Amino acid sequence: MESGFSVDEIAPIAILMDELRSEDVQLRLNAIHRISTIALALGPERARDELIPFLQDSVDDEDEVLLALAEELGRNFEEYLGGGEYAHLLLGPLENLSAVEETLVRDKAAESITKVAAVLSPPQIEQYYIPLLQRLSRGEWFTSRTSACALYAPVYDRVAPPIQDDLRRGFATLGSDDTPMVRRAAAKWLGPLIKKLSKQHALSDGLAIYRRLQSDDQDSVRLLTVEDLIAIAEQLTPPEVKEQLLKQIRQTMSDKSWRVRYMAATHFNELAEAVGQELVREELIGHYVQLLKDNEAEVRTAAAGQIPGFSKLLEKEVILARIVPCVRDLCQDTSQHVRAALANQISGLAPLLGKEATIEHLLPLFLHLLKDEFPDVRLNIISKLEQVNTVIGIELLSESLLPAIVELAEDKSWRVRQAIIEYIPLLATQLGKPFFDEQLSTLCMSWLGDNVYSIREAATVNLKKLTEVFGVEWARTQIVPKVVGMGQHPTYLYRMTTVQAITTIAPVLSLDIIRGDILDTLLQLAQDPIPNIRFNVAKSLEVLATTFGNTPEGRQLIRQRIAPVLEAQKTDQDADVRFFASKALQKAQAVDVGA
């Protein structure tokens, strides 16, 4: 890659090089972020001969500088050295960074080495990468051995069989390292390596490493082997899984550490899909029930999150006999987080059970969760109603659930009311226009008169979203008359809400609706005795001008109706009204002139 820099531009490059050597950390950090500029200016040859050796000696620096360096060297930096044939030169600095104390730096360095490996040729891998891997794997400090674990899988399938044998032996050594941090890294990176192994080697070498790590005395190591178990299971047939892994599955599911059981619960569906239907029926269903009943709330929470995914693998009768009783118990769980996780997933059982079973077994649980004292539980149920709607139908759903929704909408906690408002557009989409008009429209308008400002504000945003869902003609008949009608209300707050609602929903309405249904009311409110309403009218007129001023009809409306009112407001006795009127008029005129 040619540098393309003129003589005049070389001086700044010299400054950048000085910044790299500066004692000021921030200067060095800035220079590192522009290291590609330096390399481009130096040209490929000087970048190879001068910059890379300099960077290789720059390991004794602040962690944030080293982290930036590790990241920059992984961003196709070989292009600045002359292409892929010189990419191996980046391994030197990155090897040094892979052995530093700070974990973030080591992880980023290993990530960048993996990126560099992708552009190395097979001879480069054998000549440069493999020796680096061996040095890191045998390093005196655990830091280098930890980094080495991440570097086996990326090149395993790109080297000759004899080297592959060495790599498996090398990884096995790391898997039995004296230091827990190294064994943790080995457990973390065993899964990706197993996916590269042949089935024969997965059974011989991979399984042996896994078994050793899975029985480690440190739970921080064992919890990372859950994903390794899945990786091995995916390589084997169901009978082989039963023969080779059944003992380890049982140990993992009943591990004395809740953290291991938590990981097992989190990845349960992946494991179930990997082991085959027979083992799911014979073995995993029992373990899953135990996880749903675990002593630790964190484990129950994770298991609850897997309910619909795991139930897809079961017959309807088994779901009713084994899963639904657990779900019933979880509805009464002492932990609000467990109940919230369940509420987020329980609706996924409806399509699996069908209409009758959903009505009989699930609907009472939905109603129970909708009355939960914890808002997240109630809201999680509401957010997933569409799945239930498709199974049992809108009529039954509305009969059962609408009272609970209305109850939430009138909850004494304004935060609950606000959360329900935010879900109304979703409900509207799920339930349809006729149902919404009949059952929820009045409720939405009532929020505009709420005592809490945040609720009134949320209600106006809600009307805008509903217009986007149902269309402007629906808004013309269902929303606009009610909003405009509030403009005549004797209570100041209602008139203010009218102005704010118009300001919010105007951008999604048509110019015809603004001109024919809304503008007269808004211009009347420009004369309101309350200054706050008058200056909010000025703000609203500014929104109308900027929204519709890009058409000839809109510009005519600005000139004939909006601008004269703003001109009058510029002489208002209230300073705020004068300020916002002047600002709005300026914007309106700019739109008109700009067109």
Side-chain angles (χ1 to χ4, degrees):
M1 182 181 288
E2 295 297 324
S3 76
F5 281 83
S6 66
V7 175
D8 292 339
E9 292 172 301
I10 298 300
I13 302 306
I15 294 171
L16 274 177
M17 289 294 287
D18 287 340
E19 287 180 0
L20 276 176
R21 302 183 181 92
S22 169
E23 293 183 6
D24 187 312
V25 175
Q26 191 58 50
L27 283 177
R28 294 200 302 279
L29 186 61
N30 293 342
I32 289 294
H33 284 307
R34 290 179 287 174
I35 196 78
S36 56
T37 305
I38 297 174
L40 188 60
L42 291 173
E45 189 173 344
R46 287 188 65 194
R48 297 193 299 266
D49 296 344
E50 299 175 33
L51 184 59
I52 294 298
F54 173 78
L55 295 176
Q56 195 154 347
D57 294 334
S58 300
V59 185
D60 187 17
D61 207 329
E62 299 291 329
D63 290 337
E64 58 181 329
V65 177
L66 298 181
L67 180 63
L69 177 59
E71 187 172 7
E72 292 296 332
L73 292 179
R75 290 181 171 172
N76 301 319
F77 202 82
E78 70 278 355
E79 295 177 8
Y80 304 105
L81 305 182
E85 62 184 295
Y86 298 105
H88 62 274
L89 295 174
L90 297 171
L91 297 177
L94 288 170
E95 179 180 352
N96 292 343
L97 293 169
S98 298
V100 301
E101 191 173 346
E102 172 54 48
T103 306
L104 287 174
V105 177
R106 294 201 309 272
D107 289 349
K108 185 57 71 175
E111 183 185 320
S112 291
I113 289 175
T114 301
K115 290 177 181 176
V116 171
V119 299
L120 295 177
S121 64
Q124 283 176 307
I125 290 173
E126 291 191 19
Q127 187 176 351
Y128 302 105
Y129 188 101
I130 299 300
L132 168 146
L133 187 51
Q134 291 168 341
R135 288 192 298 273
L136 289 174
S137 299
R138 296 167 187 158
E140 181 180 356
W141 297 101
F142 79 88
T143 51
S144 62
R145 302 198 300 278
T146 302
S147 296
C149 295
L151 302 178
Y152 280 76
V155 298
Y156 180 84
D157 54 351
R158 299 180 61 200
V159 295
I163 298 177
Q164 288 182 342
D165 296 341
D166 289 339
L167 291 179
R168 292 196 303 278
R169 283 192 291 271
F171 198 92
T173 302
L174 293 170
S176 54
D177 196 274
D178 292 336
T179 310
M181 286 79 84
V182 179
R183 299 199 302 277
R184 266 206 301 273
K188 178 181 178 181
W189 294 104
L190 176 59
L193 179 61
I194 284 172
K195 291 176 182 176
K196 297 286 186 78
L197 300 181
S198 66
K199 185 173 180 178
Q200 174 194 344
H201 290 135
L203 275 168
S204 58
D205 301 72
L207 193 55
I209 299 169
Y210 162 71
R211 283 174 174 161
R212 194 179 307 117
L213 292 167
Q214 195 265 339
S215 59
D216 198 277
D217 59 352
Q218 299 273 333
D219 67 347
S220 61
V221 175
R222 296 198 305 277
L223 67 87
L224 292 168
T225 62
V226 173
E227 292 179 73
D228 302 334
L229 171 62
I230 295 165
I232 296 175
E234 287 172 343
Q235 294 270 56
L236 308 181
T237 63
E240 288 170 335
V241 170
K242 193 171 182 179
E243 180 186 345
Q244 301 288 349
L245 294 175
L246 189 54
K247 180 184 175 184
Q248 280 70 39
I249 291 173
R250 288 171 174 168
Q251 286 176 347
T252 297
M253 296 300 162
S254 58
D255 197 282
K256 62 184 178 182
S257 168
W258 73 266
R259 297 203 299 162
V260 178
R261 300 196 305 276
Y262 171 81
M263 285 297 285
T266 302
H267 295 282
F268 201 88
N269 291 350
E270 296 168 63
L271 178 63
E273 289 172 4
V275 302
Q277 198 68 35
E278 183 184 346
L279 208 55
V280 167
R281 281 198 305 269
E282 292 178 4
E283 191 75 28
L284 289 195
I285 179 67
H287 291 305
Y288 187 60
V289 168
Q290 288 307 307
L291 291 171
L292 288 171
K293 296 179 177 179
D294 197 273
N295 292 331
E296 296 293 333
E298 287 86 350
V299 179
R300 299 197 302 276
T301 300
Q306 305 284 300
I307 284 174
F310 181 63
S311 297
K312 286 176 185 173
L313 305 175
L314 306 174
E315 292 85 1
K316 179 179 173 180
E317 293 72 23
V318 178
I319 299 173
L320 288 170
R322 304 294 301 275
I323 302 298
V324 170
C326 294
V327 169
R328 203 172 287 123
D329 292 340
L330 291 174
C331 283
Q332 312 282 346
D333 199 278
T334 53
S335 168
Q336 62 189 32
H337 301 294
V338 174
R339 301 196 305 275
L342 175 69
N344 202 33
Q345 300 295 336
I346 188 173
S347 58
L349 289 174
L352 304 176
L353 294 179
K355 183 173 182 177
E356 290 183 12
T358 296
I359 294 168
E360 182 182 351
H361 298 285
L362 294 186
L363 205 51
L365 303 182
F366 293 149
L367 292 171
H368 178 80
L369 291 169
L370 271 170
K371 295 173 183 174
D372 197 281
E373 61 181 0
F374 188 49
D376 281 11
V377 178
R378 306 193 296 257
L379 297 174
N380 284 352
I381 281 285
I382 287 173
S383 67
K384 296 293 179 68
L385 281 182
E386 187 173 14
Q387 289 175 296
V388 185
N389 178 23
T390 56
V391 175
I392 69 174
I394 189 62
E395 288 184 17
L396 187 59
L397 182 65
S398 61
E399 284 173 20
S400 306
L401 299 184
L402 187 64
I405 293 170
V406 172
E407 191 177 325
L408 282 175
E410 297 169 350
D411 195 280
K412 61 183 178 181
S413 167
W414 69 266
R415 294 182 190 280
V416 175
R417 300 200 301 276
Q418 185 175 25
I420 282 291
I421 291 171
E422 289 168 1
Y423 276 113
I424 286 293
L426 178 65
L427 275 174
T429 306
Q430 294 171 358
L431 303 177
K433 193 187 296 184
F435 177 84
F436 182 87
D437 289 347
E438 184 180 338
Q439 304 287 354
L440 294 177
S441 179
T442 304
L443 189 64
C444 288
M445 298 310 299
S446 71
W447 283 319
L448 290 171
D450 197 279
N451 293 329
V452 178
Y453 172 77
S454 295
I455 299 297
R456 298 196 300 274
E457 184 180 39
T460 60
V461 174
N462 176 50
L463 294 181
K464 178 182 178 183
K465 290 178 179 176
L466 288 171
T467 301
E468 291 169 345
V469 172
F470 292 144
V472 292
E473 285 308 315
W474 172 86
R476 182 173 219 158
T477 58
Q478 295 294 327
I479 290 179
V480 173
K482 295 170 185 173
V483 168
V484 168
M486 288 171 61
Q488 312 299 325
H489 202 281
T491 303
Y492 141 76
L493 285 178
Y494 282 85
R495 302 198 303 278
M496 174 67 90
T497 301
T498 292
V499 179
Q500 290 172 331
I502 291 171
T503 307
T504 303
I505 65 174
V508 295
L509 297 176
S510 67
L511 182 59
D512 282 346
I513 294 175
I514 296 294
R515 192 166 44 198
D517 302 78
I518 286 176
L519 193 59
D520 286 343
T521 297
L522 192 61
L523 296 182
Q524 281 174 11
L525 289 169
Q527 311 295 325
D528 197 275
I530 306 295
N532 273 16
I533 291 179
R534 297 202 300 277
F535 77 65
N536 273 287
V537 167
K539 289 181 179 181
S540 189
L541 291 173
E542 180 182 332
V543 169
L544 294 182
T546 52
T547 302
F548 298 102
N550 57 351
T551 63
E553 296 87 353
R555 291 192 291 277
Q556 185 180 9
L557 191 70
I558 291 172
R559 286 192 290 267
Q560 293 180 355
R561 306 206 58 193
I562 293 177
V565 172
L566 292 174
E567 283 284 2
Q569 281 194 324
K570 279 175 64 179
T571 61
D572 194 279
Q573 60 187 19
D574 185 88
D576 289 332
V577 177
R578 294 196 299 273
F579 170 80
F580 286 108
S582 299
K583 179 172 173 286
L585 185 62
Q586 193 175 358
K587 284 281 184 70
Q589 290 171 339
V591 170
D592 196 8
V593 171

